């Protein structure tokens, strides 16, 4: 059985509002796929549809070739963590894992294995979840997702609430999982963590795929990043030379021309440069801001679509 996530022409509307608009992508075994986008871009809705929690309007989302609802004993095939704060607050961490293990027909020894894996102590496992920090809830949620030893993981903001040591732990865990052949779909606002761990990246904005490909493909864009004493004058000079430039967040310009060309135009126009470097060194944050600059919803999604709770940063 091929353990892939396949999304084809997926669309979801809420009245006149389109939350997901003709989205298609594939998450392959042995890879961590980073799912990026501004708030309200459609990430959580897409992941909920994949996990069978929200019906699609049109198109399809399958895991291992079938819809999630048709997967036999799904917890042993697909591990899901979409909201660590949605766990039963009145139960203990151990009770939550025990009930999941019973549902999946797993030995109780698996509960202890997972508690140890996510570093929840015996004392902590006996506390009620209402007394857990967000970071502890995330660890418990990851333990629950991994309990059935699935081949696919779907995680929405799993680092939310984790301290730096916890984030490093999660990164190592997911990298090892993928290296053993597992398939990971990971949504996160921590761009550096995605840059470190992801093999492939999907960027979504206003419900549409803006860009997708391997990390190297997306980060090795041609062109130059330049900052001048007068960016406006440089933009005019570049335009006169037939070179298109785009303002960057925080100042400066991005252009598809090589740094040498940009430098010659600036020198000819007598414009001193503060910074000039190849675009590929911009990093994931710069790429993300450029790609999503025109697709920010600025809160419109929360007003138009049903609320989807995500745990707040601790």
């Amino acid at each position: 059985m091929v353990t892939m996530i396949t999304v084809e022409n997926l669309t979801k509307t809420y009245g006149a509002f389109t939350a997901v608009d003709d989205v298609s992508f594939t998450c392959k075994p042995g890879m961590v796929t980073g799912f990026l986008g501004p708030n309200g871009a459609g990430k959580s809705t897409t992941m909920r549809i994949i996990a069978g929690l929200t019906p699609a309007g049109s198109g399809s989302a399958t895991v291992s070739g079938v819809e999630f609802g048709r997967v036999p004993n799904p917890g042993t095939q697909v591990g899901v963590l979409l909201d660590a704060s949605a766990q039963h607050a009145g139960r203990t961490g151990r009770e939550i894992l025990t009930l999941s293990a019973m549902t999946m027909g797993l030995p109780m020894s698996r509960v202890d294995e997972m508690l140890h894996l996510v570093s929840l102590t015996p004392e902590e496992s006996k506390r009620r979840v209402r007394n857990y920090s967000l970071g502890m809830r995330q660890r418990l949620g990851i333990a629950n997702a991994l309990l059935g030893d699935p081949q696919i993981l779907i995680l929405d903001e799993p680092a939310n609430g984790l301290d730096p040591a916890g984030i490093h732990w999660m990164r190592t865990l997911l990298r090892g999982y993928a290296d053993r052949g597992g398939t990971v779909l990971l949504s996160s606002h921590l761009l550096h963590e995605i840059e470190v761990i992801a093999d492939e990246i999907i960027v979504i904005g206003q419900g549409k795929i803006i860009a997708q490909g391997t990390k190297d493909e997306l980060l090795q864009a041609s062109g130059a990043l330049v900052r001048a004493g007068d960016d406006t004058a440089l933009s005019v000079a570049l335009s006169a030379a037939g070179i298109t430039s785009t303002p960057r967040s925080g100042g400066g310009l991005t252009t598809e021309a090589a740094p040498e060309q940009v430098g010659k135009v600036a020198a000819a126009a007598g414009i001193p440069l503060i910074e000039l470097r190849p675009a590929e060194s911009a990093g994931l944050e710069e790429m993300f801001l450029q790609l999503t600059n025109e697709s920010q919803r600025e809160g419109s999604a929360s007003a138009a679509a049903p609320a989807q709770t995500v745990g707040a940063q601790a």
Side-chain angles (χ1 to χ4, degrees), residues 2-26:
V2 180
T3 54
M4 292 200 310
I5 299 171
T6 305
V7 175
E8 295 181 334
N9 306 116
L10 190 65
T11 297
K12 178 65 179 180
T13 59
Y14 296 98
F17 173 72
T18 301
V20 180
D21 191 354
D22 196 28
V23 165
S24 298
F25 62 84
T26 300

Side-chain angles (χ1 to χ4, degrees), residues 118-120 135-143 162-163 165-166 169:
V118 302
S119 300
L120 286 176
M136 292 173 65
R137 293 187 190 199
Q138 291 286 17
R139 289 177 180 270
L140 179 62
I142 292 172
L162 295 178
D163 59 20
W169 161 81

